[in-house]
Amino acid sequence: MKKFDVIIIGGGHNGLVASSYLAKKGKKVLVIEKNEHVGGLAEYANSLSCISPIIKKELNINIPNIKDTDYIISLEDNQNHTILEDKNGKLSFVKTNADEDDQKTFLSIINNYKLFSKTLGSFMHQKPPRVKSGKRSDLFQLMSMGWKIRKLGKKNMRELLRVIGLNIADDLEDNLNNDNLKGLLSHESVLGSNLGPRSPGSILTLLYKQAINDNIFNLKKIEVTNYINQLEDCCKKNTVEIIKSSEVRKIVTKNNSVTGIQLNNNEVIESACVMSNADPKTTYLNLLGAEILDTDFIRRIKNFRNKGNVAKLELVLENEINIKNIDKKMYGKFIYAPNIKYIEHAFNANKYNHYSKNPCLEFYVNDNTLSANIYYVPYLINASHQENEIIEKCVAVLSKFIPDMNIRKQELITPNQMEEKYNISGGHWHHGDLEIDQLLMMRPFYGSSQYSTPVNGLYLCSAGTHPGGGLTGINGLNAAKKIVEDLK
Amino acid sequence: MNKEKISYKKPLLETPFHKRTSEHCYANDWYRWAGYKVAKEYSSTELEYTSMRNTAGVIDITPMHKYEIKGKDAKKFINKLITKNITNIQSNQVAYGIWCNEDGMVIDDGTIFCLNENHYRIFCAERNLNWFCDTATGFNVTIEDISSSIAALAFQGPLSCKILNLLKVENIENLKPFHFDNYKLENQNVTISRTGFSGDLGYEIWCDPSQAIDVWDSLFKFNRDYKVLAAGMNSLEMVRIEAGFIQPNADFMSAEQALRPNRMRNPYELGLGWLVNLDKEYFTGKQALIRHKEKGPEKKLVGLDVEGDKPAVGSVLYDNSKKNIAKEIGIVTAAMWSPVLKSNIAIGFVNKEYYKLGSNVYAEIYHPEELDYRKIWAECKVVKKQFFNNPRRNAIPAFI
């Protein structure tokens, strides 16, 4: 039987990044993927995320930008849409009914957020420090974090500390008049997290996502399939072995140390080091088993908030899609979140585990296909969604802007289906909410930070670890570095 | 507004024995225990104590928390919960155990009754349902709080077996310590265990609440010759200090309830290291306890033989006979004058240099005397916590 230095459970993009890096460092690596192809949830992403330049450099990945200019369109019922243009990261208004003052303030708010998220961004690529570890490196890192915030200057530091726990609605209502602009920014802050515009901490979530993606509207378009293929090639080049269509049933341990994994067909593969790309809850409760974990730790696993609430809708229409009142040149990311109240009302339903009757949407069109993220569609425990009803509500919203909606094909993927397909408990994009108590050294939770776990030889590299979701690949890289350091 | 619905106006619950305990409770002095009221003192604490040490005393312990553990993985679950290994426990056997959190700090102690391989009951002083349920994650067990469906009496004292024998409880004298069985007591089916809190011969009687009054009455049946008394919580406190039993939230803070992290205690500090089995494959807190054991306790709970006759209640302990240069090295958690041992005893924490048996420490006792305090600088000798341990406690057959 073959022996491996490291076994990686799950061939999602973080798993692939980690395996290529480890293989490059001379480790024998095996990746086990449940589905027929690798990539995991990345294929689901609407694909406009940003891969960390560090990954590109480390693994020689080359991703061309498709377009220099992107458009963001915030739709309004009265067809007075706001259109923003993003030219290599520079935002400007193309069309809006907001007055000049509002436009200026809007751009300055975004610039401010950009500045703050740049400060946060400097923590993104490192492994987060561990509090009270007693190690000098952790202390140094904590101090440097503090110093970076201090370096913003007195005024900006105060402003950052003021808004960091604030809800986005308050900040926007203080500064802006135009409802559509407020809705647009609120949308970015709540999409993919369990927050409404009035939930405390929604600004932090926005800043954090911006820090991950390097863009507040998350626009840099890349070809996900291309990226995943390149990663897979990179793995193959470095002689990483990948087993597809095979599921791991259990992580085998002895005396609090990993000894290998057991596949669904009962085959056992030995290794003293296993890295899980599954989300933390699945890894601990299903793969490892709660029996060998301390009760306090189990409590923290159970309290990890990972309830997804975004569904994906894929529509194919009979004819080419035309959106009312918008020039075809300017098609880009469409957002329907007309004002704060609308989003907050949609969020209300989510609190009681109902889907929103008036959902918020984000969608892209391409010829006659339309792919949308719908929220809020909560993850349901022991229940299923009325899928047709959800689609109906969405189509009702869409038909306000698309005159002839003759649907040829429709497909809805709810968080529950996402859970099943990709083995993500809760069906959450980021494997867990990006909120203040689940970030940095607290991600996923105390006792499991810095990619390590209470079990010797078991590591985490999924989006449930620092720095969280998105297609950065940093999780995989940092986790792999940690293993290399530990195996020394 | 309906008065009954106002929670703060809802009185404390009454135990199934309340009809009798309230008759006996001349002092009408009640103690609040887990939402129930039980007698603190019936008429005289000393008298009740004396009955427990000389004849037998009856204590209503119904408010004690009782949990039923059932299922295929019941034994595995308990082995994960407690620090001791109970793999070899047999039916009708009772185990004493403690459970710790992930930092190896003690949460509570309790007795575990094994009804059969897949069925156990845990009796403990604090609420633990939440902890048990979280610990049960991944195990095939059901955990139920059965606190209100079992009435319980502690029947403690040198004549307890004799009286049960006179009541024609068959073969009771051959019940081994830390065992239990089902018996007939005056036509009532009850469970009797040879366990207790007094350090002497004693039993605990478990029955259905509907039988409570009959069971209570039968224990007092031979009172003409053997003066059995109902004993309150104050007298129970006296016997448990003499026996050297420790109590959560009195001698140490339960790790689930302590707010200040440095108030939590590990088993080695409490002198309960013998209950920790580090060879066991897995239990909550194992990794931390390995570290604690290696390091050795910084302080330890010990028994103290105090000079003089004034109880050192709440005293601070010092290292030197000269007050002006003495340094603080510990604190007393429980203290009393022991009538049966004729000595002044205390339980307390002392720092690591002083927990060796025979060490000398000094207690500053504030003794109230008619609206004034007399400050006494008393020498104390570190001794074993078990001040009172009568051979009757473990004798088989039991003393009749």
Side-chain angles (χ1 to χ4, degrees):
Chain A
M1 200 172 72
K2 276 188 193 170
K3 271 206 135 183
F4 293 92
D5 294 328
V6 185
I7 298 175
I8 295 178
I9 302 171
H13 76 107
N14 275 319
L16 296 179
V17 168
S19 57
S20 327
Y21 183 84
L22 285 168
K24 266 189 148 178
K25 293 278 166 192
K27 306 278 178 244
K28 274 196 79 184
V29 185
L30 171 71
V31 177
I32 295 166
E33 167 59 40
K34 177 193 168 195
N35 290 321
E36 286 152 19
H37 50 91
V38 289
L41 198 61
E43 67 172 15
Y44 168 96
N46 259 335
S47 76
L48 307 174
S49 281
C50 172
I51 298 148
S52 156
I54 302 174
I55 305 285
K56 289 187 197 165
K57 215 178 99 197
E58 288 269 5
L59 304 177
N60 274 334
I61 281 167
N62 180 25
I63 298 195
N65 276 348
I66 293 173
K67 274 197 281 183
D68 285 341
T69 316
D70 291 297
Y71 293 94
I72 310 125
I73 303 100
S74 177
L75 299 167
E76 262 218 272
D77 290 349
N78 61 14
Q79 312 294 338
N80 270 333
H81 313 308
T82 297
I83 305 177
L84 280 162
E85 180 193 64
D86 180 298
K87 216 174 212 164
N88 288 328
K90 228 177 129 42
L91 269 185
S92 56
F93 282 94
V94 177
K95 191 184 143 216
T96 178
N97 58 354
D99 57 40
E100 211 138 288
D101 271 357
D102 254 8
Q103 295 182 24
K104 253 194 214 147
T105 325
F106 182 80
L107 294 177
S108 86
I109 289 176
I110 288 188
N111 277 335
N112 237 2
Y113 285 173
K114 238 180 214 166
L115 179 69
F116 297 154
S117 67
K118 223 173 138 191
T119 308
L120 291 177
S122 53
F123 314 139
M124 282 311 132
H125 303 321
Q126 311 157 355
K127 75 176 184 207
R130 196 169 255 186
V131 189
K132 278 172 98 178
S133 72
K135 275 192 201 151
R136 199 172 279 180
S137 62
D138 285 335
L139 191 70
F140 183 75
Q141 221 183 334
L142 270 174
M143 273 161 56
S144 89
M145 284 167 109
W147 174 239
K148 280 200 177 115
I149 292 173
R150 186 66 192 87
K151 241 173 48 185
L152 283 169
K154 199 171 182 181
K155 195 170 145 250
N156 281 330
M157 180 183 79
R158 279 193 179 163
E159 180 63 10
L160 171 62
L161 295 179
R162 183 182 78 89
V163 299
I164 206 156
L166 209 64
N167 68 69
I168 186 121
D170 275 359
D171 200 35
L172 297 180
E173 280 171 351
D174 279 353
N175 298 308
L176 288 173
N177 292 319
N178 188 289
D179 279 343
N180 201 350
L181 294 186
K182 288 188 230 170
L184 176 62
L185 218 50
S186 301
H187 158 87
E188 286 302 334
S189 100
V190 300
L191 177 67
S193 66
N194 227 327
L195 298 172
R198 294 197 188 281
S199 310
S202 38
I203 291 187
L204 177 67
T205 310
L206 180 65
L207 296 181
Y208 199 86
K209 280 200 276 191
Q210 187 180 4
I212 293 175
N213 299 320
D214 205 22
N215 186 316
I216 202 156
F217 292 108
N218 193 5
L219 280 167
K220 217 175 265 173
K221 186 153 191 141
I222 54 141
E223 289 285 336
V224 174
T225 14
N226 177 4
Y227 171 47
I228 296 297
N229 287 342
Q230 285 196 42
L231 274 179
E232 201 178 349
D233 288 344
C234 187
C235 287
K236 279 181 191 151
K237 239 191 318 192
N238 291 308
T239 65
V240 173
E241 204 166 312
I242 302 178
I243 304 180
K244 292 175 189 171
S245 305
S246 181
E247 208 178 339
V248 176
R249 174 186 289 164
K250 215 132 196 96
I251 297 169
V252 190
T253 59
K254 201 177 171 196
N255 283 335
N256 210 36
S257 296
V258 167
T259 59
I261 52 153
Q262 186 188 24
L263 296 177
N264 248 357
N265 59 8
N266 283 337
E267 189 191 339
V268 173
I269 307 176
E270 279 177 32
S271 172
C273 185
V274 171
M275 171 143 42
S276 171
N277 193 18
D279 70 291
K281 259 190 196 176
T282 307
T283 305
Y284 285 121
L285 296 182
N286 302 350
L287 296 176
L288 193 62
E291 320 75 90
I292 63 157
L293 292 167
D294 283 346
T295 306
D296 311 64
F297 196 77
I298 294 170
R299 280 186 175 172
R300 288 197 288 271
I301 298 167
K302 284 180 164 175
N303 292 341
F304 184 61
R305 298 187 303 282
N306 67 338
K307 224 182 79 174
N309 51 28
V310 185
K312 191 174 184 179
L313 178 66
E314 302 274 0
L315 288 179
V316 182
L317 302 193
E318 294 291 350
N319 34 23
E320 201 186 340
I321 295 170
N322 285 309
I323 307 232
K324 260 194 229 167
N325 222 0
I326 292 173
D327 190 350
K328 205 149 236 181
K329 262 198 340 239
M330 293 181 184
Y331 282 11
K333 169 159 141 171
F334 293 91
I335 292 165
Y336 181 70
N339 54 56
I340 289 177
K341 203 169 165 187
Y342 182 88
I343 310 176
E344 191 67 33
H345 280 188
F347 179 58
N348 279 347
N350 177 62
K351 293 178 198 165
Y352 303 101
N353 282 333
H354 299 308
Y355 68 88
S356 315
K357 297 268 159 48
N358 296 307
C360 302
L361 295 177
E362 168 190 283
F363 63 91
Y364 305 86
V365 293
N366 187 6
D367 200 15
N368 66 338
T369 61
L370 183 152
S371 123
N373 288 322
I374 313 160
Y375 64 102
Y376 300 85
V377 181
Y379 169 75
L380 298 180
I381 301 165
N382 299 333
S384 57
H385 287 284
Q386 302 286 334
E387 282 175 28
N388 284 334
E389 234 174 273
I390 297 173
I391 295 174
E392 233 170 69
K393 303 282 177 201
C394 288
V395 170
V397 172
L398 287 171
S399 54
K400 287 183 200 167
F401 310 104
I402 304 170
D404 37 343
M405 287 275 284
N406 296 317
I407 297 165
R408 191 194 300 164
K409 215 178 110 192
Q410 59 187 39
E411 192 193 6
L412 182 79
I413 306 167
T414 61
N416 285 58
Q417 284 156 334
M418 225 187 294
E419 173 182 52
E420 197 176 332
K421 190 165 174 199
Y422 301 106
N423 249 359
I424 301 169
S425 70
H428 196 298
W429 279 9
H430 306 302
H431 287 195
D433 286 340
L434 296 171
E435 283 169 39
I436 196 158
D437 58 331
Q438 299 194 151
L439 290 182
L440 291 169
M441 51 284 224
M442 265 112 70
R443 188 162 184 91
F445 29 77
Y446 171 72
S448 181
S449 56
Q450 287 191 343
Y451 314 98
S452 58
T453 66
V455 178
N456 299 326
L458 178 64
Y459 296 83
L460 299 180
C461 70
S462 71
T465 60
H466 174 80
L471 287 179
T472 61
I474 289 289
N475 315 56
L477 185 72
N478 279 356
K481 280 182 179 165
K482 170 99 179 150
I483 288 189
V484 171
E485 194 186 303
D486 285 0
L487 286 185
K488 245 181 217 166
Chain B
M1 206 209 261
N2 187 352
K3 268 187 187 171
E4 277 174 6
K5 283 194 179 157
I6 306 174
S7 64
Y8 65 87
K9 289 201 171 169
K10 212 163 82 181
L12 291 174
L13 299 172
E14 293 169 354
T15 73
F17 301 104
H18 188 75
K19 194 157 176 276
R20 291 290 182 266
T21 51
S22 57
E23 283 165 16
H24 281 76
C25 197
Y26 168 79
N28 204 12
D29 191 2
W30 300 97
Y31 175 78
R32 187 191 283 219
W33 182 5
Y36 285 91
K37 56 177 176 186
V38 289
K40 217 186 252 177
E41 179 181 78
Y42 285 94
S43 58
S44 149
T45 297
E46 283 71 24
L47 214 59
E48 291 153 26
Y49 161 85
T50 310
S51 75
M52 264 192 282
R53 283 289 176 242
N54 293 293
T55 57
V58 180
I59 308 164
D60 181 3
I61 54 166
T62 308
M64 185 170 253
H65 293 284
K66 314 172 193 87
Y67 300 100
E68 183 138 68
I69 320 290
K70 268 181 181 169
K72 212 162 66 57
D73 291 341
K75 189 181 260 183
K76 273 197 204 151
F77 158 75
I78 292 175
N79 256 335
K80 182 191 172 179
L81 176 74
I82 67 168
T83 57
K84 189 160 113 172
N85 196 343
I86 60 148
T87 311
N88 296 326
I89 199 170
Q90 304 293 322
S91 297
N92 287 11
Q93 211 176 335
V94 181
Y96 172 65
I98 50 169
W99 42 100
C100 297
N101 68 7
E102 64 173 349
D103 300 320
M105 298 304 180
V106 180
I107 292 171
D108 199 357
D109 62 347
T111 45
I112 297 130
F113 284 52
C114 173
L115 284 91
N116 63 48
E117 185 85 351
N118 302 324
H119 186 184
Y120 297 81
R121 279 180 187 158
I122 302 182
F123 302 102
C124 50
E126 300 292 324
R127 284 193 174 81
N128 278 293
L129 186 63
N130 203 326
W131 183 259
F132 290 174
C133 288
D134 285 336
T135 304
T137 310
F139 290 103
N140 185 0
V141 288
T142 57
I143 295 165
E144 199 188 340
D145 186 343
I146 50 164
S147 298
S148 58
S149 59
I150 296 178
L153 287 178
F155 189 45
Q156 304 280 320
L159 298 187
S160 49
C161 185
K162 179 163 198 116
I163 291 162
L164 289 176
N165 192 48
L166 286 171
L167 287 165
K168 305 215 164 51
V169 179
E170 219 169 296
N171 207 17
I172 186 72
E173 64 279 10
N174 287 324
L175 182 64
K176 288 188 242 165
F178 278 89
H179 279 75
F180 68 96
D181 217 330
N182 296 325
Y183 291 97
K184 253 202 150 64
L185 175 67
E186 297 275 279
N187 292 325
Q188 306 286 343
N189 290 319
V190 297
T191 302
I192 299 180
S193 60
R194 192 166 163 188
T195 47
F197 227 54
S198 68
D200 200 332
L201 176 62
Y203 298 88
E204 282 168 334
I205 302 167
W206 316 86
C207 65
D208 192 86
S210 63
Q211 308 168 313
I213 298 292
D214 289 333
V215 170
W216 175 281
D217 288 342
S218 62
L219 296 178
F220 293 87
K221 208 172 160 191
F222 298 96
N223 255 20
R224 193 183 65 97
D225 301 322
Y226 309 103
K227 190 72 179 161
V228 172
L229 284 188
M233 286 293 126
N234 288 354
S235 53
L236 182 66
E237 174 75 4
M238 289 176 76
V239 292
R240 77 100 186 159
I241 296 173
E242 283 180 347
F245 293 132
I246 57 173
Q247 216 180 357
N249 297 335
D251 295 303
F252 70 97
M253 288 305 296
S254 161
E256 276 286 271
Q257 289 169 37
L259 299 175
R260 299 163 182 83
N262 64 351
R263 298 299 196 278
M264 302 176 189
R265 295 285 170 260
N266 68 48
Y268 301 105
E269 290 171 326
L270 298 176
L272 297 174
W274 58 280
L275 286 172
V276 181
N277 185 341
L278 292 175
D279 299 332
K280 195 161 70 166
E281 162 106 36
Y282 187 75
F283 58 90
T284 295
K286 181 178 170 183
Q287 297 305 322
L289 284 168
I290 291 173
R291 289 195 300 274
H292 285 312
K293 189 174 184 184
E294 230 167 65
K295 222 173 115 205
E298 282 295 311
K299 52 179 74 178
K300 199 169 174 183
L301 200 62
V302 294
L304 296 167
D305 187 356
V306 188
E307 179 190 26
D309 59 359
K310 305 291 181 272
V313 177
S315 289
V316 177
L317 297 170
Y318 295 89
D319 65 343
N320 205 298
S321 60
K322 294 196 182 65
K323 193 172 174 177
N324 51 352
I325 55 164
K327 266 202 337 264
E328 254 185 68
I329 50 116
I331 192 162
V332 168
T333 59
M336 67 179 284
W337 166 260
S338 163
V340 75
L341 300 169
K342 303 282 180 284
S343 63
N344 194 10
I345 59 172
I347 297 175
F349 281 104
V350 292
N351 286 355
K352 109 172 145 192
E353 298 84 17
Y354 297 94
Y355 62 60
K356 233 179 91 195
L357 295 183
S359 311
N360 275 340
V361 296
Y362 297 84
E364 185 172 35
I365 304 169
Y366 277 47
H367 182 66
E369 264 177 358
E370 297 188 328
L371 295 183
D372 213 344
Y373 280 113
R374 185 144 67 88
K375 291 172 207 151
I376 304 163
W377 197 258
E379 189 179 326
C380 319
K381 185 166 255 163
V382 172
V383 294
K384 275 192 178 165
K385 275 201 303 278
Q386 275 188 323
F387 301 99
F388 179 88
N389 189 16
N390 198 294
R392 268 193 306 260
R393 182 183 173 198
N394 294 323
I396 316 166
F399 173 76
I400 300 181

